[in-house]
Every structure is written in structure tokens, then in C-alpha cells.
Amino acid sequence: MVFKTCKITEQYLLWSSLEPKDNNKSHQKSVRWSASNNSLNRGHATAQSTLLGAIAKYVPSQLIAASLITALGLFSPWGSKSAQAAVGPYCQFSPEEIDAKEKLFQASLDKDPIAVNEYNAIVQKHSQMLHLCRSQTWPQEQATWLRLYPCDVSPGSIDNVLDRIVNLGYNKVHLEVFYDSQVLLPPGDNPTPWTSVVRSPGGENIDLLQQTIDKAHQRGLKVYAWLFTMNFGYNYAQRPDRQEALARNGTGQDSLTVVHDRAQAFIDPYSRQAQTDYYTLVQAVLKRQPDGILFDYVRYPQGTGGQSSVNSVQDLWIHGKSSLNALYNRAGNKKGLAMIKNYIETGNLTIKDIKNIDQQYPQETQAKWQGRRNYSKSKASIQSRHRNLQSDLWFFSVAHAAQGIIDFLSFAARPAQDQGIPAGAVFFPDANRLVGRSGFDSRLQPWDKFSADLEWHPMSYAICNVNTDCIVDEVETVLKKASAQTKVIPALAGAWGQVYRQHPTLEAQMEALRKATPQINSVSHFSYAWQEPDADRQRKFCNLQ
């Protein structure tokens, strides 16, 4: 296992394509904004142009250009008549078909051979019906996001969940495998530092991940393993032997001091310990042969209020030992290293500091580090040099933070890609924005620099009150940044047939997306728990005997 720290090159400069961000926007897992803020993508053109002009000396203009994804054709949202005869709109099954399968499922729990055979037969029938419908209906691939619970070790629980997913017209499942310091691995075969979801006595060999993959395949469902990435969870952060693996800001704090839900402990992406732990997890997951793997929380923590943006080097999560060492190794000469260290340690670089470092290294005319091209002229005033160095060091530090995310994601995805298993990144389309003139969204999620070989899964969760325009805007923003080879698979939030937590009905969102971006042919919906809240609640709070 080798983790290679990439240079900060033109390809990865974070500030090459960051966009303006509303200072007052509150960020949650569901991104919420008002109708008046719906003009974000359109209304900040002037601010963005000013920014791009200011950074032109750092970044060639061709890096700011975006590619449009190739159109793939338009499918009817209702499917052909033959498919419609089997299932309803969006490939959802009729109440009669659902009731018939449910009755056979209940009968099969008694292990009666005839009932089991009849149940298996209708499962196969529904698999074929779903395949036919989805092959003729836009989108041809429709996924839901699923979390399992300890109660799902109960006989028939996974079968029932997957049957319900098929009933809703989904042919793909994004199964949560690593979250909140828990992994969906059997306790008896869990080589990771995290606790298994299954913890009941006698459950040492219960493999919910493998069971779900196998049972899903019987129903014609694909299963993608869905993992938290840089958020290793609260329990991980409590381990004395993992303290150096945590991301830290300039005051030495970890992310638990910024996000107070006791669930978000972010790691230093440059930490070899964090890399080793995550590599072990990914290998254990891939051993179960999922159809794909998705990486979520590929970012730094989201603060609130004044901590929702980063405006100084002290705010950046680059002050862990490993990140600092990697940062210092980017220096191109001794003068560059001295200025970087001074800037990191004090949070500033004064004219006096520059003079002292000049005297210390008189033989070196310029301070050098990776990616730096904005050298002052030899006769430039000390005031001019000071302004340039301050600006250069700030953007250099931000780029180093972003590069850590890019490197860690590439490292995490490589084992799957080496096996020919699709890998994707989950991200917020607005998490790479500028705040003001030189601040950044605290998440620093450089999704527009993620590898084109990955699937891109933008969480298009915006709320725009009476319509779906802001949702479509987020998807179109991502499409403009994606290369022609990148598969963009939007994730929508909501429920069928009802407004749920202020999100429009999925019908409304899907129709808007189909009209605006017919080239997209794969969509996911967050989440199964929102589609089946009562059934999900029963599974979550059952009493295991």
C-alpha cells in the first residue's frame, strides 16, 4: 500500500474554479436556501469575474473552462405500454402485486417448502418486470440510499426491505457500510478499528453486507457500498493511539469542537495511520464484491455561523503533524520553507519577517514552493513583496488543504478501480465556493477537481420553496464542470407523493430533471427511510431477543 502525495500543480489548484457563496447561508445535510437565494448561480457572475481576474496571474484561463457531458438520449418517464402493463409510473408496482408478494413472504417465514418456492417465484417475476420497465423508462437506473440496523439480523428483515425497494421501482441500492464509527462487517471478521453494526450475542458471523448483496442480486438489484470517508466518527477520535490521525486547526482543536453532534471526527488526509485504517476498511468491503463503492464526507467539517467559512490559515485543518510535514515538503528552497513556517506558526507574515528571512538567506532571491509563479520583480518595494507573499501563502495553504482531500479520495478509490469495480464521490455542489474576496466554504470540497474516472454523485438537496429550479441549477452546475467521460448521477432528497421536510415531491423533482437534463440516465433518492418511515422506525427500534 502506497499513498502518494501529489504536487500542487495547475491541474489541482483549488482556486482555479471556486465560485461565490452566500455568507449567510446555513449548511445542513439538506442544503436549505430561500427563493431569494436561488439566484446564487446566476447572480454572482460579476463577483466571480472579479475573482477570476484577480487569480489570473496564478491560473491559466484554460483551467477555468468546463466540459458539458455528452447527451445520451431521451426516455419517456412512463415507459412503453408493455412495461406499463406490469408496473405503474416510475416503475412502481401495483398494490395487487405488492399484496401478493407480501402474503407469500409472510407465509415463507414458517419455512414451508411450498410457500418458500412460491415466494421465490414471485421475487423472480418482479425482478423480470422491474428489469423490463427500467430498460424502457427514464431514468434506466434509479437508486435509493439505505441504512441497515442491528435489528436486520432478524429472519426475513433484509428480504422485506429489498422487496419494498423493488416495489418502489428502484433497481439499485446505495447501502451504508461505514458511518458513525460503525461498519457493516461481521464481528468475527472485522479487521478495522471500528465497531460492527451487529453486536448481539451469537451474531459474530452474521454478515449483513454479504447477505444484502446476495439477496439484492436475486432481485436484480445492484448494490453500491456507501462509506463515510474523512469523517471517521466520534469513537475513533477518543482513541489515544489515533490522536495524531485527526485533522486539527491552528489552535490544535479537532473537528469535534466545531461540529457538536458527537458524530463528526474528521481525519488528517495526510496521516499515514488514517490511510492505513481506511485502506483496511475498503479491502474488507471489496472482499464482499459490491457492484460499486461510493465515498461520502470527502471534505472537511462544516461549521456554523462564523465558522462556516475559513478566512485565515489558522482556520484550515492542516495543522496536524502529517499535514504540516507534507506542507513543508512542498517548499522549493530554504527561503520558501522559512516563510511557510513563519506564516503557519504565527498566522501572518510581516514586513519585518520578510526582512529577517532575506538576511538569513541572502543567496536566494525568491521564496519558492510548489505551484508558485507570482514572483515579485527584483526591484519591487518591500510593501509590494509583502502583499504578494501574503496572498500567495494563503492560496498555497488552501490548495494544500484541498489537495489532501483529492489525494485521499484517489487513494481510497484505487483498490476498487484496480478490480474493475466502479467508484464514485458524493458531494455538495455548493461546497467549493468562495466567501467574500478570499475566504472559502469551510468544507473546502474541491469536487470539480475530482478524478474524471470517478462517478460524480452531487447531492442536489436545495430547497427553493415553490419550485424545483434551484435543484436543477445545482445539477446543471455539476454537468458544466464534468468532463465528457464522467458519469454524473444526481442525488435528490424527498419522498414520493408528498412534500417531505420541505423537499418537493420526487415526482416534481424527477420531471424537472428529465426536462432540463435528459442526458442524465441515472438518479438516486435520499433516502429509503424517507420513503418507508414507519417500517424503518420499526427496524431501528425493535427488541432483539
Side-chain angles (χ1 to χ4, degrees), residues 98-362:
I98 294 172
D99 289 344
K101 183 166 58 179
E102 176 65 19
K103 289 177 181 177
L104 291 173
F105 164 70
Q106 293 296 337
S108 72
L109 294 178
D110 293 331
K111 303 299 182 183
D112 175 77
I114 296 177
V116 170
N117 288 338
E118 289 178 344
Y119 171 63
N120 289 337
I122 198 171
V123 165
Q124 289 303 308
K125 172 190 171 185
H126 283 189
S127 173
Q128 294 166 5
M129 291 166 63
L130 179 62
H131 175 75
L132 175 62
C133 183
R134 287 258 69 100
S135 69
Q136 301 176 2
T137 304
W138 182 94
Q140 290 190 321
E141 189 174 72
Q142 185 171 269
T144 189
W145 301 76
L146 172 66
R147 173 179 289 188
L148 296 182
Y149 306 109
C151 293
D152 287 313
V153 301
S154 302
S157 181
I158 293 176
D159 295 279
N160 186 249
V161 169
L162 295 176
D163 285 348
R164 289 171 180 265
I165 287 172
V166 169
N167 294 343
L168 290 166
Y170 296 106
N171 59 349
K172 185 180 177 186
V173 178
H174 296 162
L175 178 63
E176 200 164 21
V177 171
F178 171 49
Y179 64 95
D180 296 347
S181 293
Q182 300 178 89
V183 291
L184 201 64
L185 296 172
D189 187 17
N190 179 9
T192 77
W194 296 283
T195 304
S196 295
V197 171
V198 176
R199 295 188 288 274
S200 54
E204 290 77 14
N205 297 317
I206 295 178
D207 193 335
L208 290 181
L209 173 56
Q210 191 67 68
Q211 287 183 29
T212 305
I213 292 173
D214 294 343
K215 291 177 181 293
H217 287 171
Q218 293 169 6
R219 292 162 172 78
L221 299 171
K222 290 183 180 179
V223 177
Y224 271 37
W226 162 31
L227 290 75
F228 284 13
T229 306
M230 288 175 58
N231 177 7
F232 277 23
Y234 178 84
N235 290 340
Y236 186 92
Q238 303 311 301
R239 294 182 54 144
D241 60 345
R242 294 299 194 271
Q243 293 305 300
E244 287 193 357
L246 302 179
R248 298 192 181 276
N249 61 21
T251 60
Q253 296 174 312
D254 61 41
S255 60
L256 292 173
T257 63
V258 174
V259 185
H260 303 293
D261 60 5
R262 293 172 62 89
Q264 300 189 43
F266 284 77
I267 51 88
D268 178 348
Y270 291 98
S271 164
R272 185 55 58 92
Q273 181 66 67
Q275 296 159 14
T276 300
D277 289 338
Y278 204 75
Y279 180 85
T280 301
L281 168 65
V282 170
Q283 291 288 14
V285 171
L286 294 178
K287 180 181 175 182
R288 275 77 184 173
Q289 287 294 298
D291 299 292
I293 189 166
L294 296 178
F295 299 101
D296 198 357
Y297 283 89
V298 192
R299 58 177 176 83
Y300 293 109
Q302 170 63 57
T304 57
Q307 293 180 312
S308 65
S309 63
V310 291
N311 298 280
S312 75
V313 71
Q314 299 298 96
D315 297 331
L316 297 176
W317 299 96
I318 61 171
H319 295 266
K321 180 179 179 180
S322 298
S323 185
L324 285 180
N325 286 339
L327 179 67
Y328 297 151
N329 285 336
R330 297 188 189 279
N333 60 7
K334 292 180 179 179
K335 179 176 283 189
L337 178 60
M339 289 194 178
I340 293 169
K341 284 188 173 182
N342 189 98
Y343 182 71
I344 292 293
E345 291 169 3
T346 66
N348 193 18
L349 186 73
T350 65
I351 289 177
K352 181 179 179 181
D353 294 330
I354 296 172
K355 289 180 177 179
N356 289 339
I357 294 172
D358 283 344
Q359 292 176 0
Q360 192 174 359
Y361 303 103

Side-chain angles (χ1 to χ4, degrees), residues 410-421:
S410 298
F411 163 78
R414 181 55 54 196
Q417 293 175 321
D418 288 345
Q419 295 183 34
I421 296 175

Side-chain angles (χ1 to χ4, degrees), residues 387-534:
R387 287 192 300 269
N388 287 340
L389 283 167
Q390 281 274 78
S391 177
D392 288 359
L393 283 166
W394 167 239
F395 285 118
F396 169 66
S397 301
V398 172
H400 171 72
Q403 190 67 54
I405 296 174
I406 295 167
D407 289 352
F408 196 87
L409 174 60
S410 298
F411 163 78
R414 181 55 54 196
Q417 293 175 321
D418 288 345
Q419 295 183 34
I421 296 175
V426 185
F427 58 86
F428 286 111
D430 70 333
N432 67 339
R433 296 182 184 274
L434 271 168
V435 180
R437 298 185 63 181
S438 60
F440 296 86
D441 186 296
S442 63
R443 292 169 291 186
L444 278 179
Q445 191 167 40
W447 59 262
D448 50 325
K449 296 296 180 284
F450 289 167
S451 171
D453 295 334
L454 296 171
E455 294 178 355
W456 287 13
H457 292 252
M459 293 180 283
S460 306
Y461 296 171
I463 291 177
C464 28
N465 293 333
V466 296
N467 58 45
T468 57
D469 292 349
C470 61
I471 299 167
V472 172
D473 286 347
E474 288 191 330
V475 175
E476 290 180 332
T477 295
V478 174
L479 287 174
K480 289 175 183 177
K481 298 290 185 181
S483 71
Q485 72 185 86
T486 302
K487 187 175 183 180
V488 177
I489 304 175
L492 306 178
W496 294 107
Q498 62 176 318
V499 175
Y500 193 83
R501 298 185 183 182
Q502 296 185 270
H503 294 280
T505 66
L506 285 178
E507 289 90 343
Q509 295 184 61
M510 291 290 284
E511 182 62 13
L513 197 63
R514 182 187 68 84
K515 289 181 178 179
T517 59
Q519 69 269 37
I520 286 175
N521 203 27
S522 182
V523 179
S524 69
H525 298 153
F526 185 89
S527 66
Y528 171 77
W530 288 16
Q531 314 302 329
E532 299 277 1
D534 293 337

